[in-house]
Amino acid sequence: MARIAVIGAGMGAMAAAARLAVAGHRVAVYERTGTYGGALRRVERDGFSFDTGPGLLPLPAVWRDLFVKTGKEPLESCVELVQVDPCSRHVFADGTEVSLPNASRAGVVAALDEALGSTAARRWGDFLVRARETWDRTRRPLLEEPLWPNWQVLAEREPYPAVPHKRLLRTRRADTLAEVGAWELRDTRLAALLESHALAYGLDPRTAPANTAVLPYMEYAFGVWYVRGGGLRELARAVYERCLARRVEFHFGAEVTGIVEKDGRVAGVRLAEGAVAEAEFVVAGVTPGVLDRLCGGSAVRGDGEVPPQHGGASRLSVLLALRGGRPEGTAHRTVVHAPDREAELEALFGPAPGLPARPTVTVLRPEDPALVPDADHEAVTLTSVVPAGSEADTEDHAGRLVEAAERAVPGLRDRLLWHEVRTPADVAADTGVADGALPVPALAGAGGRLLHPANGTRVGGLFTVGGWSHPGGGLPHAGMSGALVAGLIVEGPEFRGSQ
């Protein structure tokens, strides 16, 4: 039985802590803030409640597996998981609308056929077949296994089976997601649908590799879910309580200021008040830059490792308290697409990143009595991607989000009781990432630009977990990260992932 110190109480860190405790280790979590959950936080005011992090859960099987492996009670006995249907409603720039069913390729194709025509539906269906092949090729090396020592193989090879495209007497294959949309889908609305999945993670579809196609595939193949009874913050609560049941110790308001090494191996963590908590293993749920600082400024990764990834985008959210109940049949999620996608992308990812004049906005309207004071009110969350660290004119930008959202929620301004704006600075306060940047999922190709550093480091007994290490950002990836780190500690370097 080893003593294990975990830095941070984010979702990946807690997933690792629960699994390690079940394996018989003594696990203590040191969290600098006063609560658990990382980005999964909640704002409560006047009887209204809002998730301030992710609002929907893809791939719940990852968290079901955690609960199966760490106790008798399954996930569904701890939270009420409900499948969101439709998966999403889309309002395109030309006014066309479509609602896409959850976890049904045939249903999605049928809905697109009715809304956009048979040609568009056929092209999207063919695209999903190629996206599935990409998923099959990348699922294990990018999600279920520790990062390969020869990770360059993943960096050099584009796994998306693009359709050959003839242009100016040349035959080319799509290298980026935007090229997939332009060359294979050939419909501005389908391209907007495709690119919105990349944009939601802060990725520029013009530079994101073609295998970013796995992101929409995950949604349409496995569905998206919501936690009724308080939102996804309730998932964080359930994981925290599972850790407590497995006798994981939590120390809140306990900032780690250094990692203690002895003879090339970790010996514990140093806390802000000067005390040292001894440990044979340390699991760090922090960014690579913070980890280097905790190790005294030295690089914790050796030559040939994946370079640390830095997010360039964050999230601005507007929390809306509305008078009047949620109308029956309302979609849980509506994506209102920008009228000029190229202008939006240039504003967000161009040489001088800023706030787009007319952004793509995601509108979340959960059917959940726990979020409102009574049935005569509604809690709505608007989110949009913004550059990391952006704080200028956020109130004006919040007004743009409300204006765009009125295309999905008629009469929105007349129903508004109050609103609250959450900026990248709030994301930074919750997560500890200085500019509030959001980590992106690991993706192949692109020269390794979107791979993440391995969970192991050059320091013996020191491991990294969470969105800034393999396999990257997103709730499913956080849970997988915790499983990989636990496997490496329990089984050693020969661990090869779940079978």
Side-chain angles (χ1 to χ4, degrees), residues 92 94 96 98 100 105 108-128 130 181 184-191 193:
F92 296 108
D94 66 354
T96 306
V98 62
L100 302 178
R105 175 183 175 275
V108 167
V109 171
L112 290 173
D113 189 338
E114 182 176 350
L116 308 185
S118 59
T119 299
R122 175 181 53 79
R123 288 175 179 162
W124 187 262
D126 292 343
F127 158 74
L128 288 180
R130 294 189 290 276
E184 299 179 16
L185 299 179
R186 290 180 283 171
D187 183 299
T188 56
R189 297 161 299 183
L190 291 183
L193 172 60

PDB file of all heavy atoms in Angstrom, residues 92 94 96 98 100 105 108-128 130 181 184-191 193:
ATOM      1  N   PHE A  92     -29.590  27.742 -38.848  1.00  0.00           N
ATOM      2  CA  PHE A  92     -28.520  28.138 -39.750  1.00  0.00           C
ATOM      3  C   PHE A  92     -28.679  29.598 -40.184  1.00  0.00           C
ATOM      4  O   PHE A  92     -29.720  30.230 -39.972  1.00  0.00           O
ATOM      5  CB  PHE A  92     -28.491  27.217 -40.964  1.00  0.00           C
ATOM      6  CG  PHE A  92     -28.167  25.789 -40.617  1.00  0.00           C
ATOM      7  CD1 PHE A  92     -29.148  24.805 -40.682  1.00  0.00           C
ATOM      8  CD2 PHE A  92     -26.896  25.429 -40.203  1.00  0.00           C
ATOM      9  CE1 PHE A  92     -28.873  23.484 -40.359  1.00  0.00           C
ATOM     10  CE2 PHE A  92     -26.599  24.111 -39.874  1.00  0.00           C
ATOM     11  CZ  PHE A  92     -27.591  23.140 -39.950  1.00  0.00           C
ATOM     12  N   ASP A  94     -29.145  30.980 -42.980  1.00  0.00           N
ATOM     13  CA  ASP A  94     -30.199  31.302 -43.949  1.00  0.00           C
ATOM     14  C   ASP A  94     -31.607  31.111 -43.380  1.00  0.00           C
ATOM     15  O   ASP A  94     -32.592  31.239 -44.109  1.00  0.00           O
ATOM     16  CB  ASP A  94     -30.029  30.464 -45.219  1.00  0.00           C
ATOM     17  CG  ASP A  94     -30.239  28.959 -44.970  1.00  0.00           C
ATOM     18  OD1 ASP A  94     -30.407  28.555 -43.800  1.00  0.00           O
ATOM     19  OD2 ASP A  94     -30.225  28.188 -45.951  1.00  0.00           O
ATOM     20  N   THR A  96     -32.788  28.270 -42.160  1.00  0.00           N
ATOM     21  CA  THR A  96     -33.151  26.850 -42.128  1.00  0.00           C
ATOM     22  C   THR A  96     -32.930  26.288 -40.729  1.00  0.00           C
ATOM     23  O   THR A  96     -31.956  26.633 -40.060  1.00  0.00           O
ATOM     24  CB  THR A  96     -32.291  26.050 -43.131  1.00  0.00           C
ATOM     25  OG1 THR A  96     -32.399  26.649 -44.403  1.00  0.00           O
ATOM     26  CG2 THR A  96     -32.754  24.608 -43.202  1.00  0.00           C
ATOM     27  N   VAL A  98     -33.103  22.555 -38.233  1.00  0.00           N
ATOM     28  CA  VAL A  98     -33.212  21.109 -38.205  1.00  0.00           C
ATOM     29  C   VAL A  98     -32.965  20.633 -36.774  1.00  0.00           C
ATOM     30  O   VAL A  98     -32.108  21.172 -36.069  1.00  0.00           O
ATOM     31  CB  VAL A  98     -32.201  20.436 -39.175  1.00  0.00           C
ATOM     32  CG1 VAL A  98     -30.755  20.755 -38.798  1.00  0.00           C
ATOM     33  CG2 VAL A  98     -32.425  18.931 -39.241  1.00  0.00           C
ATOM     34  N   LEU A 100     -31.912  17.273 -34.678  1.00  0.00           N
ATOM     35  CA  LEU A 100     -31.261  15.991 -34.917  1.00  0.00           C
ATOM     36  C   LEU A 100     -31.492  15.054 -33.743  1.00  0.00           C
ATOM     37  O   LEU A 100     -31.195  15.414 -32.594  1.00  0.00           O
ATOM     38  CB  LEU A 100     -29.763  16.194 -35.127  1.00  0.00           C
ATOM     39  CG  LEU A 100     -29.392  17.137 -36.279  1.00  0.00           C
ATOM     40  CD1 LEU A 100     -27.883  17.304 -36.369  1.00  0.00           C
ATOM     41  CD2 LEU A 100     -29.963  16.629 -37.598  1.00  0.00           C
ATOM     42  N   ARG A 105     -28.010   7.307 -36.308  1.00  0.00           N
ATOM     43  CA  ARG A 105     -27.508   7.748 -37.608  1.00  0.00           C
ATOM     44  C   ARG A 105     -28.644   7.827 -38.614  1.00  0.00           C
ATOM     45  O   ARG A 105     -28.774   8.812 -39.350  1.00  0.00           O
ATOM     46  CB  ARG A 105     -26.421   6.798 -38.112  1.00  0.00           C
ATOM     47  CG  ARG A 105     -25.923   7.122 -39.510  1.00  0.00           C
ATOM     48  CD  ARG A 105     -24.888   6.119 -40.003  1.00  0.00           C
ATOM     49  NE  ARG A 105     -24.520   6.386 -41.388  1.00  0.00           N
ATOM     50  CZ  ARG A 105     -25.163   5.957 -42.452  1.00  0.00           C
ATOM     51  NH1 ARG A 105     -26.256   5.213 -42.292  1.00  0.00           N
ATOM     52  NH2 ARG A 105     -24.746   6.259 -43.668  1.00  0.00           N
ATOM     53  N   VAL A 108     -30.796  10.871 -37.895  1.00  0.00           N
ATOM     54  CA  VAL A 108     -30.133  12.108 -38.282  1.00  0.00           C
ATOM     55  C   VAL A 108     -30.232  12.306 -39.795  1.00  0.00           C
ATOM     56  O   VAL A 108     -30.557  13.397 -40.282  1.00  0.00           O
ATOM     57  CB  VAL A 108     -28.661  12.097 -37.820  1.00  0.00           C
ATOM     58  CG1 VAL A 108     -27.873  13.221 -38.495  1.00  0.00           C
ATOM     59  CG2 VAL A 108     -28.580  12.237 -36.309  1.00  0.00           C
ATOM     60  N   VAL A 109     -29.958  11.256 -40.538  1.00  0.00           N
ATOM     61  CA  VAL A 109     -30.038  11.348 -41.999  1.00  0.00           C
ATOM     62  C   VAL A 109     -31.457  11.686 -42.440  1.00  0.00           C
ATOM     63  O   VAL A 109     -31.674  12.515 -43.332  1.00  0.00           O
ATOM     64  CB  VAL A 109     -29.546  10.036 -42.644  1.00  0.00           C
ATOM     65  CG1 VAL A 109     -29.833  10.026 -44.138  1.00  0.00           C
ATOM     66  CG2 VAL A 109     -28.052   9.838 -42.389  1.00  0.00           C
ATOM     67  N   ALA A 110     -32.456  11.060 -41.812  1.00  0.00           N
ATOM     68  CA  ALA A 110     -33.850  11.339 -42.162  1.00  0.00           C
ATOM     69  C   ALA A 110     -34.220  12.789 -41.857  1.00  0.00           C
ATOM     70  O   ALA A 110     -34.916  13.451 -42.636  1.00  0.00           O
ATOM     71  CB  ALA A 110     -34.774  10.386 -41.416  1.00  0.00           C
ATOM     72  N   ALA A 111     -33.750  13.311 -40.716  1.00  0.00           N
ATOM     73  CA  ALA A 111     -34.051  14.694 -40.356  1.00  0.00           C
ATOM     74  C   ALA A 111     -33.406  15.667 -41.335  1.00  0.00           C
ATOM     75  O   ALA A 111     -34.017  16.671 -41.734  1.00  0.00           O
ATOM     76  CB  ALA A 111     -33.568  14.977 -38.934  1.00  0.00           C
ATOM     77  N   LEU A 112     -32.167  15.380 -41.747  1.00  0.00           N
ATOM     78  CA  LEU A 112     -31.494  16.241 -42.714  1.00  0.00           C
ATOM     79  C   LEU A 112     -32.161  16.148 -44.084  1.00  0.00           C
ATOM     80  O   LEU A 112     -32.236  17.142 -44.816  1.00  0.00           O
ATOM     81  CB  LEU A 112     -30.021  15.851 -42.817  1.00  0.00           C
ATOM     82  CG  LEU A 112     -29.158  16.195 -41.591  1.00  0.00           C
ATOM     83  CD1 LEU A 112     -27.766  15.602 -41.735  1.00  0.00           C
ATOM     84  CD2 LEU A 112     -29.083  17.705 -41.389  1.00  0.00           C
ATOM     85  N   ASP A 113     -32.652  14.978 -44.435  1.00  0.00           N
ATOM     86  CA  ASP A 113     -33.369  14.797 -45.699  1.00  0.00           C
ATOM     87  C   ASP A 113     -34.589  15.719 -45.742  1.00  0.00           C
ATOM     88  O   ASP A 113     -34.833  16.412 -46.741  1.00  0.00           O
ATOM     89  CB  ASP A 113     -33.779  13.334 -45.835  1.00  0.00           C
ATOM     90  CG  ASP A 113     -34.340  13.000 -47.219  1.00  0.00           C
ATOM     91  OD1 ASP A 113     -34.798  13.917 -47.919  1.00  0.00           O
ATOM     92  OD2 ASP A 113     -34.313  11.822 -47.604  1.00  0.00           O
ATOM     93  N   GLU A 114     -35.328  15.741 -44.660  1.00  0.00           N
ATOM     94  CA  GLU A 114     -36.543  16.560 -44.613  1.00  0.00           C
ATOM     95  C   GLU A 114     -36.222  18.049 -44.618  1.00  0.00           C
ATOM     96  O   GLU A 114     -36.928  18.843 -45.260  1.00  0.00           O
ATOM     97  CB  GLU A 114     -37.353  16.216 -43.365  1.00  0.00           C
ATOM     98  CG  GLU A 114     -38.656  16.982 -43.254  1.00  0.00           C
ATOM     99  CD  GLU A 114     -39.477  16.554 -42.056  1.00  0.00           C
ATOM    100  OE1 GLU A 114     -39.141  15.540 -41.418  1.00  0.00           O
ATOM    101  OE2 GLU A 114     -40.473  17.245 -41.763  1.00  0.00           O
ATOM    102  N   ALA A 115     -35.143  18.441 -43.908  1.00  0.00           N
ATOM    103  CA  ALA A 115     -34.850  19.864 -43.757  1.00  0.00           C
ATOM    104  C   ALA A 115     -33.983  20.427 -44.878  1.00  0.00           C
ATOM    105  O   ALA A 115     -34.196  21.562 -45.318  1.00  0.00           O
ATOM    106  CB  ALA A 115     -34.163  20.111 -42.414  1.00  0.00           C
ATOM    107  N   LEU A 116     -33.003  19.644 -45.350  1.00  0.00           N
ATOM    108  CA  LEU A 116     -32.019  20.164 -46.306  1.00  0.00           C
ATOM    109  C   LEU A 116     -32.054  19.480 -47.654  1.00  0.00           C
ATOM    110  O   LEU A 116     -31.373  19.919 -48.585  1.00  0.00           O
ATOM    111  CB  LEU A 116     -30.607  20.038 -45.727  1.00  0.00           C
ATOM    112  CG  LEU A 116     -30.348  20.616 -44.331  1.00  0.00           C
ATOM    113  CD1 LEU A 116     -28.877  20.511 -43.983  1.00  0.00           C
ATOM    114  CD2 LEU A 116     -30.819  22.056 -44.245  1.00  0.00           C
ATOM    115  N   GLY A 117     -32.788  18.373 -47.764  1.00  0.00           N
ATOM    116  CA  GLY A 117     -32.869  17.670 -49.038  1.00  0.00           C
ATOM    117  C   GLY A 117     -32.087  16.373 -49.042  1.00  0.00           C
ATOM    118  O   GLY A 117     -31.196  16.149 -48.224  1.00  0.00           O
ATOM    119  N   SER A 118     -32.417  15.527 -50.004  1.00  0.00           N
ATOM    120  CA  SER A 118     -31.846  14.174 -50.030  1.00  0.00           C
ATOM    121  C   SER A 118     -30.355  14.170 -50.327  1.00  0.00           C
ATOM    122  O   SER A 118     -29.615  13.334 -49.804  1.00  0.00           O
ATOM    123  CB  SER A 118     -32.588  13.326 -51.075  1.00  0.00           C
ATOM    124  OG  SER A 118     -32.475  13.922 -52.368  1.00  0.00           O
ATOM    125  N   THR A 119     -29.885  15.088 -51.157  1.00  0.00           N
ATOM    126  CA  THR A 119     -28.455  15.111 -51.486  1.00  0.00           C
ATOM    127  C   THR A 119     -27.623  15.440 -50.249  1.00  0.00           C
ATOM    128  O   THR A 119     -26.614  14.786 -49.962  1.00  0.00           O
ATOM    129  CB  THR A 119     -28.168  16.133 -52.601  1.00  0.00           C
ATOM    130  OG1 THR A 119     -28.896  15.766 -53.768  1.00  0.00           O
ATOM    131  CG2 THR A 119     -26.681  16.173 -52.920  1.00  0.00           C
ATOM    132  N   ALA A 120     -28.039  16.459 -49.511  1.00  0.00           N
ATOM    133  CA  ALA A 120     -27.329  16.825 -48.286  1.00  0.00           C
ATOM    134  C   ALA A 120     -27.360  15.684 -47.281  1.00  0.00           C
ATOM    135  O   ALA A 120     -26.352  15.374 -46.643  1.00  0.00           O
ATOM    136  CB  ALA A 120     -27.939  18.087 -47.684  1.00  0.00           C
ATOM    137  N   ALA A 121     -28.516  15.043 -47.147  1.00  0.00           N
ATOM    138  CA  ALA A 121     -28.640  13.935 -46.191  1.00  0.00           C
ATOM    139  C   ALA A 121     -27.724  12.788 -46.568  1.00  0.00           C
ATOM    140  O   ALA A 121     -27.062  12.182 -45.713  1.00  0.00           O
ATOM    141  CB  ALA A 121     -30.087  13.468 -46.125  1.00  0.00           C
ATOM    142  N   ARG A 122     -27.663  12.463 -47.862  1.00  0.00           N
ATOM    143  CA  ARG A 122     -26.795  11.363 -48.299  1.00  0.00           C
ATOM    144  C   ARG A 122     -25.325  11.677 -48.034  1.00  0.00           C
ATOM    145  O   ARG A 122     -24.578  10.831 -47.558  1.00  0.00           O
ATOM    146  CB  ARG A 122     -27.019  11.097 -49.783  1.00  0.00           C
ATOM    147  CG  ARG A 122     -26.074  10.056 -50.379  1.00  0.00           C
ATOM    148  CD  ARG A 122     -26.328   9.836 -51.863  1.00  0.00           C
ATOM    149  NE  ARG A 122     -26.306  11.078 -52.613  1.00  0.00           N
ATOM    150  CZ  ARG A 122     -25.175  11.704 -52.986  1.00  0.00           C
ATOM    151  NH1 ARG A 122     -23.995  11.211 -52.641  1.00  0.00           N
ATOM    152  NH2 ARG A 122     -25.252  12.814 -53.698  1.00  0.00           N
ATOM    153  N   ARG A 123     -24.924  12.911 -48.315  1.00  0.00           N
ATOM    154  CA  ARG A 123     -23.526  13.277 -48.084  1.00  0.00           C
ATOM    155  C   ARG A 123     -23.166  13.217 -46.603  1.00  0.00           C
ATOM    156  O   ARG A 123     -22.082  12.780 -46.242  1.00  0.00           O
ATOM    157  CB  ARG A 123     -23.261  14.674 -48.641  1.00  0.00           C
ATOM    158  CG  ARG A 123     -23.229  14.708 -50.161  1.00  0.00           C
ATOM    159  CD  ARG A 123     -23.089  16.124 -50.675  1.00  0.00           C
ATOM    160  NE  ARG A 123     -23.043  16.149 -52.139  1.00  0.00           N
ATOM    161  CZ  ARG A 123     -23.264  17.239 -52.863  1.00  0.00           C
ATOM    162  NH1 ARG A 123     -23.558  18.379 -52.268  1.00  0.00           N
ATOM    163  NH2 ARG A 123     -23.194  17.159 -54.190  1.00  0.00           N
ATOM    164  N   TRP A 124     -24.092  13.649 -45.739  1.00  0.00           N
ATOM    165  CA  TRP A 124     -23.808  13.575 -44.300  1.00  0.00           C
ATOM    166  C   TRP A 124     -23.762  12.115 -43.837  1.00  0.00           C
ATOM    167  O   TRP A 124     -22.906  11.755 -43.030  1.00  0.00           O
ATOM    168  CB  TRP A 124     -24.853  14.354 -43.507  1.00  0.00           C
ATOM    169  CG  TRP A 124     -24.517  14.438 -42.040  1.00  0.00           C
ATOM    170  CD1 TRP A 124     -25.008  13.653 -41.045  1.00  0.00           C
ATOM    171  CD2 TRP A 124     -23.599  15.342 -41.422  1.00  0.00           C
ATOM    172  NE1 TRP A 124     -24.459  14.008 -39.831  1.00  0.00           N
ATOM    173  CE2 TRP A 124     -23.585  15.056 -40.043  1.00  0.00           C
ATOM    174  CE3 TRP A 124     -22.793  16.370 -41.906  1.00  0.00           C
ATOM    175  CZ2 TRP A 124     -22.804  15.755 -39.130  1.00  0.00           C
ATOM    176  CZ3 TRP A 124     -21.999  17.075 -40.992  1.00  0.00           C
ATOM    177  CH2 TRP A 124     -22.009  16.758 -39.629  1.00  0.00           C
ATOM    178  N   GLY A 125     -24.638  11.296 -44.351  1.00  0.00           N
ATOM    179  CA  GLY A 125     -24.600   9.875 -43.998  1.00  0.00           C
ATOM    180  C   GLY A 125     -23.305   9.216 -44.428  1.00  0.00           C
ATOM    181  O   GLY A 125     -22.716   8.429 -43.676  1.00  0.00           O
ATOM    182  N   ASP A 126     -22.834   9.544 -45.639  1.00  0.00           N
ATOM    183  CA  ASP A 126     -21.551   9.001 -46.099  1.00  0.00           C
ATOM    184  C   ASP A 126     -20.401   9.511 -45.239  1.00  0.00           C
ATOM    185  O   ASP A 126     -19.456   8.772 -44.943  1.00  0.00           O
ATOM    186  CB  ASP A 126     -21.319   9.392 -47.561  1.00  0.00           C
ATOM    187  CG  ASP A 126     -22.294   8.711 -48.521  1.00  0.00           C
ATOM    188  OD1 ASP A 126     -22.926   7.714 -48.097  1.00  0.00           O
ATOM    189  OD2 ASP A 126     -22.421   9.173 -49.663  1.00  0.00           O
ATOM    190  N   PHE A 127     -20.482  10.782 -44.837  1.00  0.00           N
ATOM    191  CA  PHE A 127     -19.454  11.338 -43.957  1.00  0.00           C
ATOM    192  C   PHE A 127     -19.395  10.594 -42.631  1.00  0.00           C
ATOM    193  O   PHE A 127     -18.309  10.292 -42.109  1.00  0.00           O
ATOM    194  CB  PHE A 127     -19.713  12.828 -43.717  1.00  0.00           C
ATOM    195  CG  PHE A 127     -19.063  13.354 -42.479  1.00  0.00           C
ATOM    196  CD1 PHE A 127     -17.691  13.571 -42.430  1.00  0.00           C
ATOM    197  CD2 PHE A 127     -19.813  13.599 -41.328  1.00  0.00           C
ATOM    198  CE1 PHE A 127     -17.091  14.038 -41.269  1.00  0.00           C
ATOM    199  CE2 PHE A 127     -19.223  14.061 -40.160  1.00  0.00           C
ATOM    200  CZ  PHE A 127     -17.851  14.284 -40.135  1.00  0.00           C
ATOM    201  N   LEU A 128     -20.556  10.279 -42.047  1.00  0.00           N
ATOM    202  CA  LEU A 128     -20.569   9.566 -40.767  1.00  0.00           C
ATOM    203  C   LEU A 128     -19.938   8.179 -40.894  1.00  0.00           C
ATOM    204  O   LEU A 128     -19.332   7.682 -39.937  1.00  0.00           O
ATOM    205  CB  LEU A 128     -21.997   9.449 -40.241  1.00  0.00           C
ATOM    206  CG  LEU A 128     -22.635  10.736 -39.711  1.00  0.00           C
ATOM    207  CD1 LEU A 128     -24.047  10.462 -39.212  1.00  0.00           C
ATOM    208  CD2 LEU A 128     -21.796  11.350 -38.595  1.00  0.00           C
ATOM    209  N   ARG A 130     -17.378   7.481 -42.856  1.00  0.00           N
ATOM    210  CA  ARG A 130     -15.939   7.747 -42.818  1.00  0.00           C
ATOM    211  C   ARG A 130     -15.493   8.151 -41.413  1.00  0.00           C
ATOM    212  O   ARG A 130     -14.400   7.785 -40.960  1.00  0.00           O
ATOM    213  CB  ARG A 130     -15.586   8.825 -43.836  1.00  0.00           C
ATOM    214  CG  ARG A 130     -15.796   8.399 -45.283  1.00  0.00           C
ATOM    215  CD  ARG A 130     -15.240   9.416 -46.261  1.00  0.00           C
ATOM    216  NE  ARG A 130     -16.002  10.647 -46.296  1.00  0.00           N
ATOM    217  CZ  ARG A 130     -17.103  10.847 -47.018  1.00  0.00           C
ATOM    218  NH1 ARG A 130     -17.595   9.859 -47.772  1.00  0.00           N
ATOM    219  NH2 ARG A 130     -17.729  11.998 -47.014  1.00  0.00           N
ATOM    220  N   GLY A 181     -15.640  19.736 -45.013  1.00  0.00           N
ATOM    221  CA  GLY A 181     -16.922  20.381 -45.229  1.00  0.00           C
ATOM    222  C   GLY A 181     -17.084  20.919 -46.634  1.00  0.00           C
ATOM    223  O   GLY A 181     -18.130  20.749 -47.277  1.00  0.00           O
ATOM    224  N   GLU A 184     -16.349  17.576 -49.351  1.00  0.00           N
ATOM    225  CA  GLU A 184     -17.141  16.349 -49.258  1.00  0.00           C
ATOM    226  C   GLU A 184     -18.610  16.620 -48.968  1.00  0.00           C
ATOM    227  O   GLU A 184     -19.484  15.918 -49.480  1.00  0.00           O
ATOM    228  CB  GLU A 184     -16.547  15.425 -48.188  1.00  0.00           C
ATOM    229  CG  GLU A 184     -15.110  14.993 -48.502  1.00  0.00           C
ATOM    230  CD  GLU A 184     -14.509  14.095 -47.424  1.00  0.00           C
ATOM    231  OE1 GLU A 184     -15.285  13.572 -46.602  1.00  0.00           O
ATOM    232  OE2 GLU A 184     -13.285  13.927 -47.408  1.00  0.00           O
ATOM    233  N   LEU A 185     -18.895  17.611 -48.154  1.00  0.00           N
ATOM    234  CA  LEU A 185     -20.293  17.909 -47.825  1.00  0.00           C
ATOM    235  C   LEU A 185     -20.907  18.893 -48.814  1.00  0.00           C
ATOM    236  O   LEU A 185     -22.091  18.789 -49.150  1.00  0.00           O
ATOM    237  CB  LEU A 185     -20.381  18.456 -46.403  1.00  0.00           C
ATOM    238  CG  LEU A 185     -19.890  17.499 -45.315  1.00  0.00           C
ATOM    239  CD1 LEU A 185     -20.004  18.151 -43.944  1.00  0.00           C
ATOM    240  CD2 LEU A 185     -20.650  16.184 -45.344  1.00  0.00           C
ATOM    241  N   ARG A 186     -20.144  19.883 -49.231  1.00  0.00           N
ATOM    242  CA  ARG A 186     -20.541  20.812 -50.292  1.00  0.00           C
ATOM    243  C   ARG A 186     -21.903  21.479 -50.060  1.00  0.00           C
ATOM    244  O   ARG A 186     -22.707  21.641 -50.980  1.00  0.00           O
ATOM    245  CB  ARG A 186     -20.514  20.106 -51.654  1.00  0.00           C
ATOM    246  CG  ARG A 186     -19.109  19.776 -52.119  1.00  0.00           C
ATOM    247  CD  ARG A 186     -19.126  19.089 -53.458  1.00  0.00           C
ATOM    248  NE  ARG A 186     -19.502  17.683 -53.344  1.00  0.00           N
ATOM    249  CZ  ARG A 186     -19.752  16.895 -54.379  1.00  0.00           C
ATOM    250  NH1 ARG A 186     -19.712  17.383 -55.604  1.00  0.00           N
ATOM    251  NH2 ARG A 186     -20.072  15.630 -54.200  1.00  0.00           N
ATOM    252  N   ASP A 187     -22.133  21.841 -48.826  1.00  0.00           N
ATOM    253  CA  ASP A 187     -23.346  22.555 -48.445  1.00  0.00           C
ATOM    254  C   ASP A 187     -22.964  23.427 -47.258  1.00  0.00           C
ATOM    255  O   ASP A 187     -22.443  22.919 -46.262  1.00  0.00           O
ATOM    256  CB  ASP A 187     -24.455  21.570 -48.067  1.00  0.00           C
ATOM    257  CG  ASP A 187     -25.776  22.249 -47.729  1.00  0.00           C
ATOM    258  OD1 ASP A 187     -25.808  23.042 -46.775  1.00  0.00           O
ATOM    259  OD2 ASP A 187     -26.781  21.965 -48.405  1.00  0.00           O
ATOM    260  N   THR A 188     -23.186  24.721 -47.360  1.00  0.00           N
ATOM    261  CA  THR A 188     -22.734  25.626 -46.306  1.00  0.00           C
ATOM    262  C   THR A 188     -23.360  25.299 -44.952  1.00  0.00           C
ATOM    263  O   THR A 188     -22.749  25.498 -43.903  1.00  0.00           O
ATOM    264  CB  THR A 188     -23.039  27.084 -46.673  1.00  0.00           C
ATOM    265  OG1 THR A 188     -24.449  27.229 -46.932  1.00  0.00           O
ATOM    266  CG2 THR A 188     -22.241  27.508 -47.896  1.00  0.00           C
ATOM    267  N   ARG A 189     -24.591  24.791 -44.976  1.00  0.00           N
ATOM    268  CA  ARG A 189     -25.254  24.445 -43.717  1.00  0.00           C
ATOM    269  C   ARG A 189     -24.634  23.195 -43.112  1.00  0.00           C
ATOM    270  O   ARG A 189     -24.401  23.118 -41.895  1.00  0.00           O
ATOM    271  CB  ARG A 189     -26.752  24.270 -43.944  1.00  0.00           C
ATOM    272  CG  ARG A 189     -27.430  25.562 -44.415  1.00  0.00           C
ATOM    273  CD  ARG A 189     -28.768  25.295 -45.063  1.00  0.00           C
ATOM    274  NE  ARG A 189     -28.636  24.443 -46.252  1.00  0.00           N
ATOM    275  CZ  ARG A 189     -29.649  24.103 -47.043  1.00  0.00           C
ATOM    276  NH1 ARG A 189     -30.865  24.553 -46.764  1.00  0.00           N
ATOM    277  NH2 ARG A 189     -29.460  23.326 -48.093  1.00  0.00           N
ATOM    278  N   LEU A 190     -24.352  22.184 -43.931  1.00  0.00           N
ATOM    279  CA  LEU A 190     -23.675  20.991 -43.423  1.00  0.00           C
ATOM    280  C   LEU A 190     -22.277  21.341 -42.930  1.00  0.00           C
ATOM    281  O   LEU A 190     -21.812  20.800 -41.913  1.00  0.00           O
ATOM    282  CB  LEU A 190     -23.589  19.917 -44.508  1.00  0.00           C
ATOM    283  CG  LEU A 190     -24.891  19.247 -44.938  1.00  0.00           C
ATOM    284  CD1 LEU A 190     -24.589  18.162 -45.966  1.00  0.00           C
ATOM    285  CD2 LEU A 190     -25.622  18.647 -43.738  1.00  0.00           C
ATOM    286  N   ALA A 191     -21.585  22.223 -43.661  1.00  0.00           N
ATOM    287  CA  ALA A 191     -20.254  22.641 -43.217  1.00  0.00           C
ATOM    288  C   ALA A 191     -20.339  23.335 -41.865  1.00  0.00           C
ATOM    289  O   ALA A 191     -19.496  23.112 -40.979  1.00  0.00           O
ATOM    290  CB  ALA A 191     -19.621  23.557 -44.261  1.00  0.00           C
ATOM    291  N   LEU A 193     -22.649  22.849 -39.571  1.00  0.00           N
ATOM    292  CA  LEU A 193     -22.941  21.793 -38.606  1.00  0.00           C
ATOM    293  C   LEU A 193     -21.667  21.057 -38.216  1.00  0.00           C
ATOM    294  O   LEU A 193     -21.396  20.832 -37.031  1.00  0.00           O
ATOM    295  CB  LEU A 193     -23.962  20.832 -39.216  1.00  0.00           C
ATOM    296  CG  LEU A 193     -24.272  19.542 -38.450  1.00  0.00           C
ATOM    297  CD1 LEU A 193     -24.820  19.847 -37.074  1.00  0.00           C
ATOM    298  CD2 LEU A 193     -25.249  18.683 -39.249  1.00  0.00           C
TER     299      LEU A 193
END
